[in-house]
Amino acid sequence: MEETGMVKSRFKNVCVFCGSSSGKRNSYRDSALELAQELVKRGLDLVYGGGSVGLMGLVSQEVHRGGGHVLGIIPKTLMCKEITGETVGEVLPVADMHQRKAEMARHSDCFIALPGGYGTLEELLEVITWAQLGIHDKPVGLLNVDGYYNYLLTFIDKAVDDGFIYPSHRHIIVSAPNAKDLLQKLEEYVPGHDGVVAKARWEAEQLELNASLQIDIAR
């Protein structure tokens, strides 16, 4: 995408985790649109979980409307329009939720979580854990709208204090109250932790798994 005034970024594709609901506060919807507009401004393409409902729909439609490429990755069992709505942009059907997360991670350069529920938290915590293990070194950001993630951050700080998370792993996550500041923090992020799993080995295993799952999808 070529656009006047575009901000140069070291990323190309940003994975966004967010709710299939819009939440009860207008600020959640406003922040989803603000994030989408900031992605377009920086020439960044979107990777997300597919569908057009809730915050997921707002982000994907706004990026698509702004000329950005949108990749929706969704399990075949959730592709019914009555469940998720119609995905804009490119759709990549996968066999199951595990492959969905693996493909979202593989296609992305960094991760951002907007407000969401169980699914958003599960996706977020998995990519944080993968970073802790050294499976990837991609930045992970929380868009902490109106303090939505304050209690999660407090829990993580408590886990550090009580010896369940290393202090160096606390810095895997960056957070900010607005999209512009968060993206700037992600741009400046430098991994400061030691992983324990060989990244190359993991990627090879994922390629093998994806090949077998694609065979399952085709059946």
Side-chain angles (χ1 to χ4, degrees):
M1 296 179 297
E2 295 296 330
E3 185 174 320
T4 303
M6 185 177 292
V7 179
K8 186 175 178 59
S9 173
R10 69 185 176 107
F11 307 125
K12 176 171 172 45
N13 301 304
V14 176
C15 180
V16 175
F17 305 131
C18 57
S20 57
S21 167
S22 296
K24 293 184 177 180
R25 297 189 183 188
N26 290 335
S27 57
Y28 300 147
R29 295 185 283 276
D30 293 343
S31 292
L33 294 173
E34 176 194 9
L35 173 59
Q37 291 159 7
E38 193 67 29
L39 294 180
V40 171
K41 180 180 178 182
R42 293 169 178 263
L44 299 172
D45 294 328
L46 172 69
V47 178
Y48 82 118
S52 61
V53 296
L55 298 184
M56 295 169 68
L58 289 175
V59 173
S60 60
Q61 291 162 8
E62 188 71 9
V63 171
H64 190 261
R65 188 179 300 116
H69 182 264
V70 175
L71 175 61
I73 301 174
I74 186 167
K76 292 180 70 177
T77 54
L78 297 181
M79 289 183 70
C80 174
K81 293 179 182 178
E82 285 73 20
I83 298 176
T84 62
E86 186 172 1
T87 301
V88 299
E90 181 183 355
V91 180
L92 176 60
V94 293
D96 53 30
M97 298 294 282
H98 175 81
Q99 191 190 12
R100 180 197 220 177
K101 289 179 291 183
E103 287 294 309
M104 290 171 76
R106 188 169 69 87
H107 283 87
S108 303
D109 303 311
C110 66
F111 307 93
I112 292 175
L114 277 161
Y118 289 140
T120 301
L121 281 175
E122 191 265 344
E123 292 168 332
L124 170 66
L125 291 173
E126 183 144 4
V127 296
I128 291 171
T129 302
W130 289 351
Q132 175 183 297
L133 294 172
I135 290 168
H136 71 77
D137 57 4
K138 302 172 183 180
V140 181
L142 291 177
L143 191 47
N144 193 19
V145 183
D146 288 347
Y148 182 80
Y149 282 114
N150 282 353
Y151 289 117
L152 174 62
L153 294 170
T154 298
F155 161 76
I156 293 170
D157 289 336
K158 174 65 172 174
V160 172
D161 290 342
D162 286 1
F164 291 102
I165 296 175
Y166 288 121
S168 60
H169 292 161
R170 172 62 180 84
H171 302 294
I172 290 172
I173 312 166
V174 300
S175 65
N178 61 73
K180 183 177 181 181
D181 290 348
L182 181 60
L183 281 164
Q184 188 57 43
K185 286 186 175 183
L186 293 173
E187 294 279 2
E188 296 169 354
Y189 174 81
V190 177
H193 53 280
D194 297 322
V196 297
V197 174
K199 183 178 177 183
R201 177 183 171 188
W202 170 265
E203 290 177 346
E205 290 175 352
Q206 286 300 302
L207 287 173
E208 182 178 346
L209 173 62
N210 289 339
S212 65
L213 289 173
Q214 287 298 333
I215 293 173
D216 291 339
I217 292 174
R219 288 175 179 169

